[in-house]
């Protein structure tokens, strides 16, 4: 049995809250009016999108979800990306902001941006809470990044390990997992 634990706090709940307010202010400045579609990737980004959406002090914010196959129980990417739940709205001609929890290899987001671009949104940009630039394999253009973090496996604030730890209100480093 693995002895995984998540005791070391990397980013506190307070730091997250403050940074999300800053990100939201930039987003509102860039998209002052009209519908803005937040396309959030399940499950990891669900807490981030909930907080980010509430920090966006404007009307016309739409929240949509997509399911993309993720790491499952393992800590490294299989390199395989699959849509498990698609959008049920038409994003043609709309301002779309993909809301992600973390960009690691960039494989998921480079796939997703290519897919959504084919639907001809007016604009398509990326907001991620966490960015692990050292691990990048595929280049991804991130417009709004909350925190750059080192190459460590983190959990909490929506991010899991084997479906655990999503409910932590801060971001912690996972140790002792396989
Ligand atoms: P990428 O395709 O960029 O390698 O990976 C993106 C996805 O991998 C994220 O949405 C997330 O589900 C998962 N991931 C990458 N790094 C971490 C990490 O440090 N912790 C957790 N819990 N998931 C991660």
């Amino acid at each position: 049995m693995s002895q995984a634990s998540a005791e070391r706090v990397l980013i506190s709940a307070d730091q997250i809250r403050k940074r999300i307010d800053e990100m939201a202010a930039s987003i509102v400045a860039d998209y002052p009016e009209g519908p803005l579609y937040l396309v959030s990737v399940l499950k990891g980004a669900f807490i981030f999108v909930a907080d980010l959406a509430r920090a966006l002090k404007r009307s016309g914010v739409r929240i949509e979800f997509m399911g993309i196959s993720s790491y499952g129980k393992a800590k490294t990417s299989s390199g395989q990306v699959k849509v498990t739940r698609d959008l049920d709205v038409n994003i043609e001609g709309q301002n779309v902001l993909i809301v992600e929890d973390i960009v690691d290899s960039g494989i998921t987001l480079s796939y997703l941006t290519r897919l959504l671009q084919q639907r001809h949104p007016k604009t398509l940009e990326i907001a991620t809470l966490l960015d692990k630039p050292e691990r990048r394999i595929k280049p991804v253009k991130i417009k709004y990044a909350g925190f750059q973090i080192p190459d460590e496996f983190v959990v909490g604030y929506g991010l899991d390990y084997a479906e655990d730890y999503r409910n932590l209100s801060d971001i912690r480093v996972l140790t002792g997992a396989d």
Side-chain angles (χ1 to χ4, degrees):
M1 225 183 81
S2 90
Q3 297 292 307
S5 75
E7 267 133 54
R8 181 154 68 86
V9 175
L10 190 64
I11 308 170
S12 71
D14 199 43
Q15 285 174 293
I16 296 171
R17 204 166 20 246
K18 288 191 179 123
R19 187 71 187 110
I20 288 178
D21 282 345
E22 291 169 2
M23 293 173 84
S26 309
I27 294 167
V28 170
D30 293 345
Y31 305 89
E33 58 194 16
L36 174 62
Y37 283 80
L38 305 182
V39 172
S40 165
V41 183
L42 291 170
K43 298 177 191 169
F46 82 104
I47 294 181
F48 176 44
V49 76
D51 285 346
L52 182 67
R54 283 177 291 184
L56 292 172
K57 304 299 179 203
R58 79 196 286 286
S59 58
V61 175
R62 314 274 160 83
I63 303 167
E64 301 293 336
F65 293 97
M66 281 189 81
I68 305 278
S69 61
S70 76
Y71 289 6
K73 226 187 135 182
K75 290 204 303 175
T76 50
S77 175
S78 62
Q80 297 281 334
V81 185
K82 197 173 83 195
V83 172
T84 53
R85 182 197 191 282
D86 206 341
L87 293 176
D88 38 34
V89 288
N90 182 1
I91 57 164
E92 188 175 344
Q94 302 293 346
N95 287 315
V96 177
L97 191 58
I98 298 174
V99 179
E100 240 307 22
D101 50 1
I102 184 165
V103 185
D104 186 35
S105 69
I107 291 171
T108 309
L109 275 184
S110 70
Y111 171 84
L112 186 60
T113 44
R114 220 174 327 117
L115 180 80
L116 295 183
Q117 204 70 65
Q118 289 164 4
R119 300 178 186 181
H120 308 294
K122 183 175 169 199
T123 62
L124 182 65
E125 301 288 353
I126 295 168
T128 184
L129 182 65
L130 305 174
D131 179 18
K132 269 194 216 173
E134 283 168 54
R135 301 252 312 167
R136 204 72 89 251
I137 295 170
K138 294 251 184 190
V140 182
K141 200 174 115 268
I142 300 171
K143 186 154 187 193
Y144 310 97
F147 302 90
Q148 291 204 338
I149 63 166
D151 180 11
E152 288 187 289
F153 194 83
V154 293
V155 293
Y157 197 74
L159 287 150
D160 76 313
Y161 173 64
E163 294 302 324
D164 242 327
Y165 306 109
R166 290 194 199 275
N167 61 322
L168 293 174
S169 52
D170 43 25
I171 308 261
R172 303 186 187 197
V173 176
L174 188 79
T175 52
D178 311 320

